[in-house]
Each structure stands twice: as C-alpha cells, then as structure tokens.
Amino acid sequence: EDTLKVATIIEEKKAPSTKSTVGDCLLLCDLESGEECRYTIVDPREVDALKGKISIVSPLGRALLGKRSGDTVEVKAPAGKLRFQIKNIEH
C-alpha cells in the first residue's frame, strides 16, 4: 500500500529509447564463455533470480542501465571481472 501511495504513472513513450531502462529485458553474451543469458532489469522489490530479474542496484544491473545494443559492460564479481556484450534489448 505504501508503494502505491507514492507511485507515479509513466506514460508510454512514443519514440522507443535505444538505451536500456528499468523493465527492459536484455540478451547478453558472456565474452569469456560465449554463453548467452537473458536478464530483466527491475526495482529491488521485484528481484527474482530464478526468473532472471535483477535489481537496478546490483552491480550488473547498474552496469546495464543506460547502455545500448552492441555495448560491452564489465562487472566486478567475487569470481573476478565479468565481461558481457549486449546482443539485444527488448523494451
């Protein structure tokens, strides 16, 4: 209820953005292994790792925000640096 009280309705944009934003689904390619993975960038309250929903405040989520198809992102993880190329963004 608290979330709904402060929620703002966002009108759908007429011209789609080419940059990634909250709610977008991104197809990524791990540049080391070549493996593809799909993530949706969501608000921290909507995170669901089993469904590929990652938070905008997570290291990967922060790295993906505002990027375009074809961009490469690098993320520091406990296992070391991870590098991904954004293959596609679905708005």
Side-chain angles (χ1 to χ4, degrees):
E1 288 182 17
D2 291 335
T3 301
L4 290 176
K5 287 178 186 175
V6 296
T8 303
I9 296 175
I10 301 172
E11 298 295 326
E12 186 174 336
K13 296 177 184 175
K14 294 184 182 189
S17 171
T18 57
K19 293 183 179 181
S20 61
T21 61
V22 176
D24 288 347
C25 183
L26 291 85
L27 177 62
L28 307 178
C29 178
D30 183 322
L31 293 176
E32 186 173 318
S33 69
E35 183 180 336
E36 289 188 347
C37 47
R38 184 177 305 273
Y39 294 108
T40 303
I41 305 172
V42 297
D43 182 90
R45 295 168 290 191
E46 300 175 87
V47 170
D48 187 339
L50 295 176
K51 292 182 180 178
K53 294 182 177 184
I54 60 170
S55 169
I56 59 172
V57 297
S58 69
L60 181 57
R62 282 193 311 252
L64 294 172
L65 274 178
K67 299 295 190 254
R68 292 184 164 95
S69 255
D71 285 354
T72 299
V73 296
E74 190 172 286
V75 180
K76 292 180 184 177
K81 289 183 182 179
L82 305 174
R83 294 182 64 230
F84 297 97
Q85 181 179 29
I86 301 172
K87 293 292 199 177
N88 188 37
I89 300 173
E90 298 172 12
H91 300 284

